[in-house]
Amino acid sequence: PGDSKKNRSRRLTAAQRMEYNRIAKAASALDNVGNEQFERGEYERAMQTYSKALKLKRRTLSLGAKENVRNKEALMASVATSINNISYLRQRSGACAEETMAAYQDALRIKKEILGNDDLSVGKTLNN
């Protein structure tokens, strides 16, 4: 019931599911490392680490697109947070204001869409 051939073809295989989980855990670990680097004032290293985490999160999104992944909204919010963190570090390093603002707006759009206007994470992005 409800398990049509079309739905079966859109599901991740066991190997793909394991890969999805492995990549998601690695991205989360990189976020934590990036946060620690940021707190120590190692901004260039934090930027590189956040960028790696963002790349992995985008891979999980492409894998998750094959099926209705339950935590897709949380993953999208996490992508937006990564974009926000990278934008903040770019701003600190004197990057082009237009580029930085465009990235903030992208992160803000994603967060508002998923979390709503009143979420604390939306406020943090607005504050940047």
Side-chain angles (χ1 to χ4, degrees), residues 30 35 48 58 61 80 83 89-91 99 119 126-127:
L30 283 170
N35 291 341
Q48 293 170 357
R58 287 184 169 148
L61 279 175
I83 293 168
L89 289 171
R90 283 185 180 149
Q91 180 184 356
E99 176 186 320
D119 190 86
L126 284 167
N127 186 52

Side-chain angles (χ1 to χ4, degrees), residues 9-25 55-72 75-76 79:
S9 69
R10 297 179 83 197
R11 290 190 178 156
L12 295 177
T13 65
Q16 289 171 321
R17 170 72 59 195
M18 286 178 58
E19 178 71 356
Y20 175 91
N21 289 332
R22 184 189 67 75
I23 294 170
K25 286 178 185 176
K55 185 176 179 180
L56 291 177
K57 290 174 187 180
R58 287 184 169 148
R59 281 185 57 200
T60 59
L61 279 175
S62 66
L63 277 173
K66 292 186 177 190
E67 69 175 37
N68 189 11
V69 177
R70 279 181 244 152
N71 63 347
K72 188 171 183 176
L75 182 56
M76 286 296 296
V79 165

Side-chain angles (χ1 to χ4, degrees), residues 102-122:
Y104 276 135
Q105 288 175 343
D106 190 32
L108 184 61
R109 179 190 53 77
I110 293 168
K111 287 182 177 186
K112 281 183 172 182
E113 182 178 312
I114 293 168
L115 304 171
N117 290 335
D118 297 330
D119 190 86
L120 178 61
S121 186
V122 170

